[in-house]
Structures are given as C-alpha cells and as structure tokens.
Amino acid sequence: MKLRFDYNNMMRETIGERGIPEKAFSDESASIKQAFETVMANRGKGWQEWCELPFSQGGYIDELITYCGSIGQKADSFVVLGIGGSALGPLAVASALLHFRHNELPAQVRKAPKLYVEDNVDPERMHALFDVIDLKTAYFNVITKSGETSETLSQFLILYAALKKALGTAEAKKHIIVTTTVGKGTLYNIAVKEGFKIYGVGAGVGGRFSVLCPVGLVPFAVLGLDVKALLAGAAAMAEACYDPDVRKNPALNSAFLQYMSMKKGQNISVLMPYADSLKFMADFYCQLWAESLGKAVDNDGKVVNVGQTPAKSLGVTDQHSQVQLYTEGPFDKVVTFLAVDKYRSECVITDDKDIDACAFLKGHTLNELINAERKATEFALTKANRANFTVYLPEVNAETIGELLMYFMYETAFAGALLNINTFDQPGVEEGKKATFAMLGRSGYEAKMDEINAAPKQSKYVIGR
Ligand code: PA5
C-alpha cells in the first residue's frame, strides 16, 4: 500500500472534546468487528462483486486493452454517455491521469483522443458537443448498468441518429461501444440487434462501485491509461482492507472515525483535495458516500434517516470561499484532505524585479506553496478544534489512483455496515427514475403517473411568474 493515512486530528488528544477518545476503539470493538466481518463475508457475493474486480477480470483484460487501444488510435474524440456511477468514475480517473489540458493539446502530443464525459441532458450542452466533435472521427461509449436510464438512452438515440446520417448505418455501428448488463435491459437488446461491441457490467457491480469494471476500463484503455497498474493499486488496497485490526486497516479505520463523528452530529463530510487533478475524485466520493449511506431505514426495518452529507472543496481555491465556514461555523463537519507528496511538475516562483514585498515568495516553488497552504489550513482547523483527516498520495499515478478508489469503496462499505444499512441500494434514485418514465409516458408506468397526478399541487407559495 502506497497511501498514508493520518488521523491524529480526529482524536480527542488533539482537538479536545470534539474529537474521538482513544477508548472508543475498545468501547466499540464489537461493532467494528461485526462491520468488518459483514463486509468480508460478502466479498465477491451479491452486491459486493466490486471487491473482487482487481482480481477477477483476467479473462478479458488483454482483449479489452487491445480492442479499446485500437479505437484510441483511430478516434479524435471519445465521448462517454452515462450518468451517476456510469460517468463519475471514468471522469475522476481520466482527470487524475491525463494531462491537465488534455483536450487542448495538439493531436501528436496528446497521442489519445479528446475525452468528453456527457453526464447531463442539458440541450445546450448536447448542441455544444456537436459543435466540437467531428462525427467521422468520434467514437462513443454508452454506459448504463441498467440499460434503462432515460438520460443515457436519450443521448444515445440522438447521437446514433446523427452518426448514421453522417456515416451510414454500417460505419456508424462501428463507432459505438456499449457497456451494460449482459442479457438484460433496453440498451443490451438494442446493442445485440445493431451489432455493437458490448462489454458487460457484472450483475453484482452497482453503478457507483463500477469504476474498476469495463465501465471505467473501456475509456481508460481507449485513452491509453495503464489499466493494469490501476487494478494492481486497487488490489494492494483491497488486501490492506482485509486486516481486521482497525488501527491498520485504513478503510475500516476512517469508516469508524466517520461513524463516530456522525454520532457527535458531525453530519457533513468534506473532501478537499489539494490537487486540481483530484478535483473530480471529490465528485466520485460524494456520489459514493451520499447514495450509499443516505438511507431511511436500517437492516432491521427501523426508520433511521441516516447519512453524512458529502461536500466537495478544492485546495487551495476553496480556502478563499469555504474554509472560513469550516473554521468558525457549526461543529458539524469532518474535513478529509487529499495531499500529494510529489506533484508531477515543479514550478519555481521567479521574480526578475526583486520586489521587496514579494521576497518571501521568490525562489520557492508552487509545490512548496500548495503544501504550505494545506498544512496551514490543517493547522487552522485543528487549532479551532475541527475534526480533520489527511490521506497522502506519494504522487498521482495509475497505481495510487487505483488504491484511492478501492479505499473509498471499502470505506463506504464499512461505514454502511457500521450504520447497519443497505449500502448498495438506492431507492430514492429509483423513485425519481420511475417518475421520469411515467411523465414521459412509458408504458407500464401508468400507476406512477396517477400517483404523481394525485400529489397535492403546490401553487400557493410562488413568487414571480
Ligand atoms: O450508483 C448508482 O447506482 C447510480 O448512480 C447509477 O449509476 C445511475 O443512476 C446510472 O444508472 P445506470 O448505470 O443504470 O444508467
């Protein structure tokens, strides 16, 4: 394991009454043990198929890398159509590992297609996409585990029609890769009928836990990223998470600290990477944490309405917008910093005018500055007795990103087990999906439409038109 976890500033010894007492580890040892055993007992089973993804895909990885690599050679643009768990993993990893201005680089420097992750159905955005891609050299990956999501199906229909018009049906088919559950769902049926290339999402791999299956691996291979190193990193972290000792198992440890923090009313979990490359990792984390832990009932059917609201923040940018609140506002947050020991570039602060007032900056690097600012923010929060926690990446690369993804997934699974909830369902999201089907007149959803029509009309309290 290459990542390092520092939880000193979560503890009572450091931040006083707001912190977690040392004895909590022994007082809660039975709950920790039960949560650990629950997650371990289900590894590779049911909705925990994601646990085995670093180890179980050997049968098709080489084919996937070769086929997708060949698409990467031909494509000028690669467009991911997906939403939620079918978009955020690909976006987070690609943003971490590609050149920061990847799409703006000249093709010969880029050496991989431009990437567009289209995870919304804003009509203006769809038109804007058509303005920047050339359909003749654009390839599309339609990702939907269920194969039923309205947003993704709509995007697919629009783009497939445009592709057929531009290239003819036979050629258009070659520009589409579908990632979905094999044997089931509208998109799977279309893909078989049309003869699209299909990669499968395992039955027990849920959307937000799918980044290490073809949902993420197809785009990564098209972009020439090191898929095997990513999986190796994930495997190393998975193995670290098999340790029953909460002092050594990083995901069990932080899940427990967050669980104890929730008990203290610290119901907001802020993820604050100090690296632009990790900015979308915060989006990935937010979805994972929110959809997995925000639940109405526990496993015994008791109404609990639990969950910790995830928030994203970017260091140092958001020091100038949010840190004031974190330092002096309500004691309702845990801030997790993502720190990078060694950035992939170094940038020296030069000053050819020798301005006296700037002398303290001259000769230092932006690397020193960003790390000093992270430590300064950590110092300020700790001084104000605010719970905070730091995950250190030695550097951002495929292996450390694989570790980080697996850490977040195991942390979420352990936290859900501590809360005694179903971490892997999302009834709130499904309800919205069904209501959308009903409102668009999908057959089979008439009763849902009746329910929507019967809901009280809210027209009394409106200001404006
Ligand atoms: O994590 C989840 O299950 C959801 O966020 C889904 O990923 C999202 O709703 C998209 O679903 P699908 O992949 O079926 O299109």
Side-chain angles (χ1 to χ4, degrees):
M1 179 176 73
K2 298 209 157 72
L3 267 49
R4 191 169 83 251
F5 302 83
D6 184 337
Y7 62 100
N8 281 291
N9 301 335
M10 295 295 292
M11 303 303 293
R12 187 164 285 183
E13 275 170 54
T14 320
I15 57 167
E17 279 305 300
R18 308 274 177 192
I20 293 157
E22 171 68 33
K23 73 188 212 22
F25 288 102
S26 46
D27 290 352
E28 297 280 341
S29 61
S31 318
I32 296 170
K33 185 168 182 284
Q34 195 181 11
F36 174 76
E37 286 173 356
T38 302
V39 173
M40 286 300 119
N42 289 302
R43 256 170 53 203
K45 296 183 200 149
W47 283 107
Q48 276 185 232
E49 213 178 299
W50 57 270
C51 297
E52 297 306 304
L53 290 172
F55 314 102
S56 63
Q57 299 181 96
Y60 55 84
I61 280 294
D62 287 331
E63 185 280 334
L64 183 150
I65 293 173
T66 308
Y67 179 80
C68 296
S70 73
I71 297 290
Q73 296 299 310
K74 289 187 273 197
D76 184 53
S77 302
F78 188 68
V79 184
V80 169
L81 307 177
I83 198 162
S86 291
L88 290 169
L91 182 61
V93 175
S95 308
L97 299 180
L98 291 175
H99 184 285
F100 193 73
R101 309 274 182 207
H102 178 80
N103 282 4
E104 292 151 60
L105 289 173
Q108 64 275 21
V109 181
R110 213 183 332 114
K111 294 197 180 85
K114 291 178 204 155
L115 174 68
Y116 299 95
V117 179
E118 298 302 305
D119 62 351
N120 204 352
V121 285
D122 181 332
E124 295 178 15
R125 181 163 161 183
M126 180 56 86
H127 276 286
L129 179 70
F130 279 114
D131 289 340
V132 294
I133 60 170
D134 176 355
L135 288 170
K136 293 191 182 64
T137 51
Y139 286 73
F140 298 85
N141 187 191
V142 193
I143 311 178
T144 160
K145 177 188 165 62
S146 61
E148 302 292 350
T149 304
S150 307
E151 294 90 335
T152 309
L153 288 177
S154 307
Q155 291 173 316
F156 159 72
L157 292 171
I158 294 166
L159 282 154
Y160 188 39
L163 268 177
K164 284 192 283 190
K165 199 166 162 205
L167 308 175
T169 304
E171 188 56 26
K173 288 177 199 285
K174 296 184 199 154
H175 284 239
I176 293 183
I177 303 175
V178 160
T179 310
T180 192
T181 304
V182 172
K184 188 168 147 208
T186 300
L187 187 66
Y188 177 75
N189 295 333
I190 297 172
V192 171
K193 187 161 165 273
E194 299 295 306
F196 299 147
K197 175 77 176 167
I198 303 173
Y199 285 100
V201 183
V205 179
R208 57 194 177 274
F209 291 87
S210 66
V211 59
L212 298 173
C213 84
V215 165
L217 303 188
V218 168
F220 306 152
V222 169
L223 294 162
L225 300 176
D226 192 342
V227 165
K228 288 189 178 173
L230 186 86
L231 292 173
M237 179 55 70
E239 277 155 12
C241 295
Y242 302 162
D243 195 325
D245 184 347
V246 67
R247 306 297 191 128
K248 296 198 183 127
N249 179 328
L252 182 60
N253 180 283
S254 49
F256 175 64
L257 297 172
Q258 295 284 15
Y259 166 72
M260 293 302 289
S261 303
M262 285 182 235
K263 285 191 176 189
K264 287 169 167 287
Q266 291 163 343
N267 283 322
I268 299 174
S269 170
V270 179
L271 188 72
M272 190 165 189
Y274 270 75
D276 278 279
S277 61
L278 300 177
K279 183 174 176 178
F280 291 102
M281 204 47 86
D283 292 66
F284 172 81
Y285 167 79
C286 285
Q287 189 217 6
L288 194 58
W289 204 246
E291 273 192 17
S292 303
L293 303 185
K295 296 291 152 72
V297 290
D298 70 9
N299 289 328
D300 304 318
K302 191 170 137 213
V303 176
V304 284
N305 297 113
V306 288
Q308 200 185 29
T309 304
K312 50 188 179 180
S313 192
L314 178 67
V316 302
T317 309
D318 289 320
Q319 282 178 209
H320 300 270
S321 66
Q322 296 178 28
V323 166
Q324 170 61 32
L325 172 73
Y326 300 167
T327 314
E328 294 195 354
F331 285 88
D332 56 0
K333 297 171 199 67
V334 176
V335 178
T336 301
F337 297 112
L338 295 184
V340 177
D341 294 333
K342 189 171 181 297
Y343 292 83
R344 288 164 288 188
S345 313
E346 191 178 82
C347 190
V348 179
I349 305 168
T350 47
D351 172 17
D352 58 1
K353 294 258 186 304
D354 277 329
I355 301 165
D356 276 351
C358 297
F360 72 102
L361 294 171
K362 187 178 175 181
H364 286 290
T365 60
L366 291 185
N367 311 53
E368 289 171 301
L369 181 59
I370 194 168
N371 270 322
E373 297 218 31
R374 177 182 53 73
K375 285 183 200 148
T377 304
E378 180 190 326
F379 167 77
L381 286 177
T382 307
K383 188 174 164 196
N385 297 328
R386 309 294 163 141
N388 66 92
F389 181 93
T390 304
V391 180
Y392 291 89
L393 286 81
E395 61 176 34
V396 174
N397 59 40
E399 226 176 315
T400 58
I401 290 300
E403 283 198 15
L404 188 63
L405 295 168
M406 208 52 168
Y407 159 71
F408 282 142
M409 291 190 275
Y410 264 111
E411 182 194 25
T412 305
F414 287 131
L418 283 160
L419 291 167
N420 185 32
I421 52 155
N422 183 344
T423 311
F424 305 106
D425 67 356
Q426 53 285 324
V429 179
E430 304 303 337
E431 181 62 19
K433 285 187 179 185
K434 286 180 203 146
T436 305
F437 290 151
M439 285 191 254
L440 292 175
R442 185 170 184 174
S443 122
Y445 291 84
E446 295 75 11
K448 183 57 68 187
M449 197 60 224
D450 291 344
E451 190 189 331
I452 294 168
N453 286 333
K457 298 282 164 297
Q458 292 166 351
S459 53
K460 193 171 160 197
Y461 303 107
V462 175
I463 295 175
R465 260 175 335 109

